[in-house]
Amino acid sequence: MTIYLKDACYIDWKSLKFRQGHMAVTSEDNGKITFTDTLPSKNTLSKDEIILDCQNRLVMKSFACGHHHIYSALARGMPAPEKIPENFSETLKYIWWRLDRLLDMEMIKASALVTALYCLKNGVTFVIDHHSSPFTIENSLETIADAFEEMGISHLLCYEMSDRDGEIPKEKGLEETERYLEKGYQGHVGLHASFTVGDDLLKRAVALAEKYDTGLHVHVAEDAVDQDHCMKTYNKRVVQRYDDAGVLDLHKSILSHCIHLDEDEIARIRDSDVWVAQNTESNLNNNVGVTSYKTFGENVLLGTDGMHSDMLRSANAVFLTGQSVEGIDMGTAYDRFRNVHRYLKGSRYAGDGTDNLVILDYDSPTEINEENFLGHFIYGMEARHVESVISSGRLVVHNKRLLTADEDEILAFAREMGNKLWAKMK
Ligand SMILES: [Zn+2]
């Protein structure tokens, strides 16, 4: 398959250099983009070739989400909890753990499909997900993988294991993780958080990650409750606990949030090769606090924590909030937005090659150029500018419509599953 982009303005995501001309995107040779002076004429095009007119359009690498939760996709507008949460522990107890315990396989499929739909329409072609459905664990990861692949999303999935629902879900989580990795899928070993994970589970999770040459994906000190529990139970802080267990030696690990850390914990992370996922909007929403990531080193990437699937919006929130919290500049916000690509490449995960592109109909009132790109990125670019999307050399969104499935059918299926879930909640 070759997609020709006619008269494109290509922006290199690393150098921010602009290049004007025709491009060819091919799915061969691990996905390649080339610049070309000539295009085939329309009547000589084969079935496997198309030409997209990109005049006045910007073309750049598509986006990726470093921490998502498809399981929360059917939460929007759901019935109010029996008690309005007053703190983070109650938010988990009355909202998220109430929801994820009721998910069945159909609901998981709908959640994955609708998440993929939103991601693609927002220009996101790679998702790192952290999934939870404690009473429908078996085959949940393959269900998500199938839905993502059908839609055209590349992925790095895991099941978020914990001890919160007792022995059976714990063992099933370990089985599901191993089955998935054994089949050859790229994935993480997922854990919920220190305060819901006992020593036996932590030890077995690290052993699984070592066996399959991957990392752990875990929430770290999202709220102070994680630290309080760790000190009380293990007489050490959360990052020290993970360090002692070997998590920080696994360079593919992603520690999500990392808000309530002391200097020793930050230094341990900085001295390791693990990555930290920042989820600013979720932290604001849960009122768990915000922190500076400047002292963490370079390995900070961005996620949405399941709140939405719009990475441009996440980058914007990181910049706006980060100004008072850590004196962030536009370049740092942009680097964090793009760091997920560096993480995936450095960890040798597939699906985020150069043949992943977004075509933006960016209707700026002012000139955009190499010198002022960051100002446009922060103050101008929005998901609504995403016109077409190429995922692993495949055109998946064209003129703002999904090509890989029927959008209306997916939304109808999601609403049906949402109603089924909500009826169980009452
Ligand atoms: Zn999360």
Side-chain angles (χ1 to χ4, degrees), residues 67-69 71 130 160 217 219 222 256-257 279 282 305-306:
H67 182 76
H68 211 325
H69 295 291
Y71 76 77
H130 197 248
E160 98 170 29
H217 189 174
H219 295 123
E222 179 174 1
S256 194
H257 303 298
N279 306 272
S282 166
D305 208 19

Side-chain angles (χ1 to χ4, degrees), residues 94-110:
Y94 292 108
I95 296 180
W96 300 115
W97 293 353
R98 173 170 165 248
L99 180 147
D100 70 7
R101 286 179 179 131
L102 294 172
L103 291 173
D104 63 24
M105 204 58 86
E106 266 193 309
M107 298 173 192
I108 294 168
K109 185 178 176 185

Side-chain angles (χ1 to χ4, degrees), residues 5-11 17-23 35-37 54-59 368 370:
L5 306 179
K6 188 182 169 196
D7 294 323
C9 175
Y10 177 72
I11 304 172
K17 292 275 180 228
F18 284 39
R19 181 167 176 172
Q20 191 72 42
H22 309 315
M23 294 168 65
F35 292 87
T36 172
D37 292 334
C54 292
Q55 200 170 26
N56 301 320
R57 302 293 187 267
L58 302 177
V59 177
I368 177 169
E370 290 176 8

Side-chain angles (χ1 to χ4, degrees), residues 50 151 389 394-398 401-407:
I50 41 171
M151 299 284 280
V389 181
R394 176 180 174 204
L395 186 64
V396 291
V397 173
H398 188 219
R401 289 298 289 181
L402 186 75
L403 297 182
T404 49
D406 187 314
E407 289 183 26

Side-chain angles (χ1 to χ4, degrees), residues 115-254:
T115 300
L117 167 65
Y118 288 134
C119 282
L120 290 174
K121 293 191 80 170
N122 290 330
V124 175
T125 55
F126 198 108
V127 173
I128 301 176
D129 194 78
H130 197 248
H131 177 63
S132 179
S133 52
F135 296 101
T136 310
I137 295 177
E138 198 176 336
N139 290 326
S140 58
L141 295 180
E142 270 188 271
T143 299
I144 300 165
D146 286 350
F148 274 7
E149 282 162 27
E150 182 188 325
M151 299 284 280
I153 292 268
S154 298
H155 50 83
L156 181 57
L157 310 180
C158 69
Y159 185 79
E160 98 170 29
M161 301 184 285
S162 79
D163 284 301
R164 76 168 140 108
D165 291 299
E167 202 60 23
I168 293 172
K170 168 192 164 187
E171 292 300 329
K172 286 198 170 191
L174 285 159
E175 283 164 24
E176 174 68 1
T177 302
E178 175 135 36
R179 183 176 40 239
Y180 189 72
L181 295 172
E182 202 170 31
K183 278 193 173 178
Y185 284 100
Q186 59 183 22
H188 282 129
V189 175
L191 289 174
H192 173 251
S194 177
F195 69 104
T196 57
V197 171
D199 276 342
D200 176 63
L201 180 55
L202 177 58
K203 197 172 144 201
R204 289 164 72 186
V206 171
L208 264 182
E210 284 168 348
K211 183 175 173 186
Y212 291 97
D213 184 26
T214 186
L216 258 66
H217 189 174
V218 58
H219 295 123
V220 173
E222 179 174 1
D223 185 88
V225 72
D226 204 15
Q227 292 289 8
D228 296 345
H229 178 275
C230 203
M231 281 306 292
K232 225 181 276 171
T233 315
Y234 308 104
N235 197 31
K236 55 177 95 164
R237 291 179 66 89
V238 174
V239 175
Q240 188 189 345
R241 184 179 177 221
Y242 287 139
D243 199 2
D244 292 349
V247 178
L248 271 56
D249 298 327
L250 301 165
H251 71 95
K252 299 178 184 178
S253 292
I254 294 181

